[in-house]
Amino acid sequence: VFEPQPGDHGLHLSALLDSDSVAGAYDFTIEPGDMTVMHIRSVLFPRRPISTVGIAPLTSMYFFSPERRAGVDDFRDAVHDSDGLQIASGGGEWLWRPLVNPRGVFVTSFAMPALRGFGLMQRDRAFAHYQDLEARYERRPSAWVAPKGSWGPGRVELVQIPSPDETNDNIVAYWVPDTPPAPNQPWNLEYSVLWQKD
C-alpha cells in the first residue's frame, strides 16, 4: 500500500488484462483536484475475432425525474447520478440525450465519422430538485471521455436498463469503433476521463 506524500500531484497505476478474448496492459495516471483527471493508455491484443468492442465505458444511475416518474411514490422530485448523455462529434456537433428508466432494455446508438468526446452528465445542480441530505445527488460528478488522437469512425452506444430503485447502476455509455481490432495485432488507445461538477 502506497501512502500519498506531501507534494504528490497524482497517482500512477498499472494493470494487466487477461481474458479468453483479449490480453492487454493499462497505464492510469490520476490527478485529483476540482476536476479529477484520469489519463489512460492501453495496448490490447485480441486473441480472436471480436464483433463488438466497447471502449471507455461509463456507468451511472437514473431512477426518475419530475418529467419521468410514472408509478414512483417518493417525496423527492428527482433521483439520479446523471441526467443525460452528451456527445461532441468530430464535425463540431453537440448532442444531448436525456436519460430514462425504461420498461425494458433500451439501446441507442449515435454514429459519427469522428469523436471529440462523450460523457454522462449531471446538469441539474439544484438541491431543491432532489431534497436528499444523505445522497446529495446535486453534487454527483459528471464524467467526460476525451480521446487522444483519432479513434476513426464508429458510434457512441447508450444502454439504459430498467431499475426498481436507486441502488443499481442502470446506465452505460461507450464507444464502438466501426472496424473492430484485428486478432493478434496490438491496438493502442489513449484517452482521458474528466470528473467534474459544472
Side-chain angles (χ1 to χ4, degrees):
V1 175
F2 297 98
E3 294 289 332
Q5 300 300 313
D8 285 351
H9 298 289
L11 179 64
H12 189 119
L13 302 170
S14 297
L16 294 176
L17 171 65
D18 185 16
S19 74
D20 291 342
S21 302
V22 181
Y26 283 85
D27 186 67
F28 302 91
T29 302
I30 304 165
E31 299 170 354
D34 287 338
M35 177 171 57
T36 295
V37 180
M38 296 173 59
H39 301 285
I40 301 159
R41 292 185 307 141
S42 65
V43 180
L44 304 177
F45 295 88
R47 292 178 162 149
R48 59 184 170 133
I50 301 171
S51 60
T52 303
V53 177
I55 302 301
L58 299 174
T59 65
S60 192
M61 179 276 294
Y62 182 93
F63 185 33
F64 68 88
S65 65
E67 303 82 24
R68 298 175 182 87
R69 66 173 298 147
V72 176
D73 183 16
D74 197 298
F75 73 93
R76 300 168 293 182
D77 285 339
V79 173
H80 50 73
D81 292 334
S82 304
D83 51 7
L85 168 69
Q86 188 162 340
I87 302 170
S89 77
E93 294 176 299
W94 286 88
L95 307 172
W96 174 256
R97 172 56 65 96
L99 299 177
V100 298
N101 184 358
R103 293 185 180 170
V105 175
F106 185 36
V107 180
T108 311
S109 291
F110 303 87
M112 58 198 65
L115 175 72
R116 283 194 358 232
F118 70 94
L120 292 173
M121 313 306 280
Q122 181 74 313
R123 284 184 171 178
D124 187 352
R125 296 292 181 185
F127 171 79
H129 296 166
Y130 304 96
Q131 299 182 32
D132 192 322
L133 288 169
E134 182 181 350
R136 300 308 299 256
Y137 290 112
E138 78 281 2
R139 294 184 178 176
R140 298 299 169 103
S142 296
W144 182 259
V145 173
K148 293 185 180 175
S150 174
W151 284 5
R155 68 186 187 272
V156 174
E157 199 159 89
L158 172 65
V159 180
Q160 300 175 93
I161 303 166
S163 181
D165 55 44
E166 64 198 274
T167 61
N168 302 304
D169 265 17
N170 61 326
I171 306 294
V172 63
Y174 46 86
W175 174 255
V176 179
D178 279 354
T179 304
N184 303 314
Q185 297 295 317
W187 192 35
N188 294 285
L189 287 169
E190 192 170 352
Y191 58 98
S192 295
V193 181
L194 294 77
W195 299 89
Q196 58 202 323
K197 281 188 74 176
D198 298 325

